[in-house]
Structures are given as C-alpha cells and as structure tokens.
Amino acid sequence: MSGKPGPVTPNDPLSSPPRLIPSTTDPLPTPPPSPRKRRQLLRSSEETDTILNLDEYLTIVDGYRFTSPILDPLPIETSILPQSHPLSSQQDRIYEIARNGLNATAVRGTCALWLYHSVVHGPAEPKPLVSISTWDEPTPSWRHAVTSIKKTLKNNGFGDIAVQLYHQDKAHQLRRYPISKSDGGEAIAAGWQRSQDAIAALLSKRLERPCATWSYASIFLCGRIGGKLVPTLVIKIDGTSYRSAQANWKQLELELKDLLRRYGGTNIEVEFAYGKLHTQILEPTIPIRAETMPGDSIGIAGDSIHSGTLGGFVGLYKPDWKEPRLCAVTCHHVVRPEERSSDAFANVLDLQPTCSEDARASIMRSPSAFDYDSVMGELGKALRLHVTRIGELEAEKQRQDGFLVPFSQRTLDSTLQRKSDVEKQIEIFKPRSGIFGRTIACSGFRLNNKESKMDWALVETTSPEKFAANYPPQAYEIGRHMPESYNPDPISTKMGKMERFDWVVLRGRTSGISPGMVNACNTVVDKWRTRDLKMSRETVVMGSLDLGAELKLFGRGGDSGAFVYNADGLMVGMQIAGDKELSVVTQMVDLVDDIESVTGAKVFFPTSDVRGLQQKLEWVAAKP
C-alpha cells in the first residue's frame, strides 16, 4: 500500500514523493525538495531578501509557490488507500498494468495508487487514481501512454480508476480560477474594493518605470500544494520587461500582505508572474456560413494579418433622420490595429470627425481577409487532394477493366462524397469575399468616467441583407455548461449589467460558444493608465469549472468584439482583451452610453432579422 510522504525533517532536505514500482530498472534523477519544504526554507533564507530581477526571483521561488500540480482534470486532494478498500489487494496487478503501459511507450515514471476528490466541486465520493510522475520531457507518447493504461485497466475490470501523468519538475504552476460566492467572494470583493487603490499606488511606487512595469492585478483562487484553493492576489509583470524588472520581490510581497490585512483581506496569498493583457493574438479556424451573423470574423479589407469578432448589431437614430443607420459593433483595435490614438471620432452625417481621414474610411470585410483567405486556401487544398486521389483510383479502375476491389471502391465512393462536400462549402463561402461596410465611429483608446477602457467601433452597412439581429447562444449550442434555467429568447433586444458571480456566455470568432463566470474581484490595469495617471478598472470573466472535467477557457485570441450574454439572455458586455486564463469585458451599459455620447445619436437594437424579406426593420431603444 502506498502513502503520502512523511513530514520533512532537517536531516532530510531532499524529501521526495513515494517511489513505488519504478517502470524501468534505470535509476530516476533525485527529485527536488518538496514545494512545501522549499517555501519554508525560502522564508528563513536571506537569498531572496535583496534586489533581484523577476526572472531570477521566479527561478528561485517557483518551486515554493502556493500552486497546484498539473493534474488531469483539476487540482485534487489525495488520501491514502486504506487496507479495507477493495483495490488494496489488487495493487500489484494495477502497478504491473501501468508499468507495462509506460514501457510500451518509452516513458519512465513512478506509480502510486491514491484516493482523490475534487477540491473545486466540494465533498464527493473519493475515487481511485493511478498517479505517475516522471522526469522525462513531455512528448506525444504521454497521451498515448495514459490512453493505453486506461484501456488496459478497463479491460481488466478496473474501469473506474483515473490515470494522471505529470512532469515532476514542472508539476507546479500558477493556475487561476474565478472566486465564487461559496468561496467567500462577497467579503473578498469588498476588501479588494477598499484596498485596490492603495495596492495600485504601492505597486507603482515599488515598480517604477523603467525598472519594472506591472500590467494588472486582481484576486483569484489559486491552487495550493495539497490541492486546496486559496484566494491569491496575482500581479502580472509586463512580459517585455520581466528580465530587467528590478525589485525586492520578497519585501514587496510582505508589504502587499500587510496592506491586504489592513483592509480586511486576511489569508490572501500574493503571487508575481509575468504576462499582460493581449488584444492582437490571433488563432485560426472559423465556421463556414453563407450569411453574416453575430460572432463572425471581421477585419480591414486588404489586411491579411488582423482579425476580430463582429459582436452584434445596433441602429443609430437622430430625430432628423428618416430611419436608423445599420451598424455592426466590434473593437477599435480590430478596425485600427496599428493605431494608438486616445481620441474618439464619429462621421455620422452632420458630425465633424476628429481623426485621420484613413481611419474614417476603414473599409471592412466580414469574414476578414485573413480568415477568408485562410478558409478558401484550406478548402482549395482539400479539393486538390480529393481530385488527385480520385484520379489515382479511376486510373486503377481502368487498368483492371473497370473493376475495383471492395476496399478501393469504398475509398473511391467516400472520396467522391468528400469532394462534393468541399465544393458545396466553396460555393457557400466564395460569395462572402465582398465589402461589408465602412467604419463611421470609434471610441479611441481611453477611459470613461467609470475608469473603464473604451474600445469599440461602429461599421455601417448599406446592405440590409448583411444586417442581422442579436442572437444569444441557445441551450443546445452550449451543452451542459450552463444553468438549468437557461432558456433565452431567440433574439436579444435588452441590455443587462454583469454582476459578480454571474454565469455568462459569448459567441466569438475563435471560441464559438464559450461560457464563463464573472470573477468576484475586478482587475486594476496599469497598462491602460491615462495621461492624468488614472488606472483602468475592468470586469474579469474566467472559464467555468465544468462538472468533473477541466477548466474551460472563456474567450480566445480573435474573440475581441464578441457580445457577452447573461443567464437571462440579456446583452451584458463586449470582450476587449484577455490573457491565457481570463477575459476583460466592457459592460454593455457603459458601451451604449459611450456610443451615444460620441455619436450624438440614440442606440436601438433590432427586434427581428429581416434579411430576404421585403419589410422594414423594427427597433427597440437600448435605453428606455
């Protein structure tokens, strides 16, 4: 029977996890001290109590941090398998299966059998787990090894045993999760609200340019050694400057903890990590549709590099206009990816523009040139491959007097069908190479009176067939990652406000349908500081923790501009930026207020999709 390692003693500085049934006879490298022990050593050491750059500090501290092993599927808490457990007498057989699976895929590892339960989803029946730690570098063989071991275990009557494989040296990383109400989110959020100004001031004082640049800070749940998730203040240091970011990080951590306690934030850890909010990272693949829809890609005509999301549609109306102007909404950085202007502009009939002529004249395509060229290129490549394969099979058929063996005939039939499917996709997608519309208004990159970053653009189209209603994702599109009560109207015509702990969902260019949860704490963004030194304060949405599965990311590169909907199907925000684990979302109420302020027109939402119908658009005011 296996057990957890015992307490670390002063005479045992290199304590390691249990080494049960090594998969090979070769000795494995001696593991580093346990993370808990190393953090204790760090606290009593003077090694880090000095000026270091962040790269040096993280190299020293990384193993001591309050983080969780990279587990499949979530941070978990393990316990010893008791002698009374039915599997206790089968351990040798289970280890033999795991060892054979590792040897077959040339992965060296050490096996242990535990009981585990999720620390995220609360108390649950403990389940058996074969945990395999290795010092070999990750390869494609890892996934094959886990799959093979799971399959063999199932075939031998051990189908309920989970299998995990992780790199021992890299087993601890900073993973962030949203803070829910059950995690004490109300109290944490209240303390953060009181302390964020003082924390931002301290960070700006200690991390003065050009020595260091902090990007943003907020409080999340982070995994702790042993599986427990704890609230943690995470400060992201700009990735371009972390190697030269000079500071006494240990002293700063203690000052931040003292500041948090002073404002009621007890038992909150502090972590530094390098990274920043991104607005221009792009990921490929988009759906193939015959018509423009919310969630489609959009970009500048002729720009084969940048792309974003057409979030939704609005109408602008002034009393002296005959009817509303038809506009799609996206981000300013999608329309002007190279521009850094903080000035808003509008070119709505009688309004005088305040920006460069080329910005007003941005001609937009949907899908973007980047995505159109990418999709048509992939479809063309697939079509050529099918044509070549069909030619080869037809030639073989001629050589054999019009006869093919059954396998070759089935291959020919399926290839002909795939060729036909690709030709239909090309027929659907090819007409969408035309112009969608022209940019008539942009926010510039600035903060509103609520210190929230404005990053929006309006693209007017004169073709009603390119104008649609705003469709919230339906239950069948989302699957099971949603509230049981979720049943939105087919068309959304009303706004709402994002509140902390809310479940929300977006429809984006890259992610498609992506659910998430509003974090209890907003984020303070130093990167978007204005000329008068005001800092941006933004709503943070993070991936939802799937029941027993993995952390689902909320939004990805290319989703900028996507509309966000709440559990009632109301439009509550628009995504403007993000990083690996979170997205920054502008409140829809603030977005509409700013559009009306800049354009001088009233914003309306369409109540129906009239493409192909000879009838007038119907509207409802965004603000009664």
Side-chain angles (χ1 to χ4, degrees), residues 52-53 131 141 151 283 297 319 367 385 408 507 551 567:
L52 298 170
N53 68 49
S131 178
S141 298
K151 184 176 180 180
E283 298 181 28
S297 80
L385 289 173
S408 297
R507 187 195 296 276
L551 178 69

Coordinates of all heavy atoms in Angstrom, one line a residue, residues 52-53 131 141 151 283 297 319 367 385 408 507 551 567:
L52 N 16.4 41.8 -6.9 CA 16.5 40.8 -8.0 C 15.7 41.1 -9.2 O 14.6 41.9 -9.0 CB 16.1 39.4 -7.5 CG 16.8 38.8 -6.3 CD1 16.1 37.5 -5.8 CD2 18.3 38.4 -6.7
N53 N 16.0 40.7 -10.4 CA 15.0 40.8 -11.4 C 14.0 39.7 -11.3 O 14.3 38.6 -10.7 CB 15.7 40.9 -12.8 CG 16.4 39.6 -13.2 OD1 15.8 38.5 -13.1 ND2 17.6 39.7 -13.7
S131 N -1.4 7.6 -10.1 CA -0.6 8.9 -10.3 C 0.8 8.5 -10.8 O 1.4 7.7 -10.1 CB -0.6 9.7 -9.0 OG 0.2 10.9 -9.2
S141 N 4.0 10.8 -26.7 CA 3.8 9.5 -26.1 C 3.1 9.5 -24.8 O 2.5 8.5 -24.4 CB 5.2 8.8 -25.9 OG 5.9 8.6 -27.1
K151 N -7.2 2.0 -21.0 CA -7.8 1.0 -21.8 C -7.5 -0.4 -21.2 O -8.5 -1.2 -21.0 CB -7.4 1.0 -23.2 CG -8.1 0.0 -24.1 CD -7.7 0.2 -25.6 CE -8.4 -0.8 -26.5 NZ -8.0 -0.6 -27.9
E283 N -5.9 33.4 -33.3 CA -5.9 31.9 -33.5 C -6.8 31.6 -34.8 O -7.7 32.3 -35.1 CB -6.5 31.2 -32.3 CG -5.6 31.5 -31.1 CD -6.2 30.7 -29.8 OE1 -6.8 29.7 -30.0 OE2 -5.9 31.2 -28.7
S297 N -16.2 36.7 -38.0 CA -14.9 37.5 -38.0 C -15.1 38.7 -38.8 O -16.0 38.8 -39.7 CB -13.8 36.6 -38.6 OG -13.8 36.6 -40.0
P319 N -33.5 62.5 -34.6 CA -34.8 62.9 -35.0 C -34.9 63.4 -36.4 O -36.0 63.3 -37.1 CB -35.1 64.0 -34.0 CG -34.3 63.7 -32.8 CD -33.1 63.1 -33.3
P367 N -16.4 37.7 -43.6 CA -15.3 37.5 -42.8 C -14.1 38.3 -43.2 O -14.0 38.9 -44.3 CB -15.0 36.0 -43.0 CG -15.5 35.7 -44.4 CD -16.7 36.6 -44.5
L385 N -6.5 17.6 -53.1 CA -6.1 16.3 -52.6 C -7.2 15.3 -53.0 O -6.8 14.2 -53.5 CB -6.0 16.3 -51.1 CG -4.7 17.1 -50.6 CD1 -4.8 17.2 -49.0 CD2 -3.5 16.3 -51.0
S408 N -11.1 -0.6 -52.3 CA -10.8 0.6 -53.2 C -12.1 1.2 -53.7 O -12.1 2.5 -53.8 CB -9.9 0.1 -54.3 OG -8.7 -0.4 -53.9
R507 N -20.4 34.6 -27.9 CA -20.3 34.0 -29.2 C -19.2 34.7 -30.0 O -19.3 35.8 -30.5 CB -21.6 34.1 -30.0 CG -21.7 33.3 -31.3 CD -22.9 33.7 -32.1 NE -24.2 33.5 -31.5 CZ -24.8 32.3 -31.6 NH1 -24.3 31.3 -32.2 NH2 -26.0 32.2 -31.0
L551 N -10.9 23.0 -16.7 CA -11.2 24.4 -16.7 C -11.5 24.9 -18.2 O -10.6 24.8 -19.0 CB -10.1 25.2 -16.1 CG -10.2 26.7 -16.1 CD1 -11.3 27.1 -15.1 CD2 -8.9 27.4 -15.7
A567 N -27.4 34.8 -18.0 CA -28.3 33.7 -17.9 C -29.7 34.0 -18.3 O -30.5 33.0 -18.6 CB -28.3 33.1 -16.5

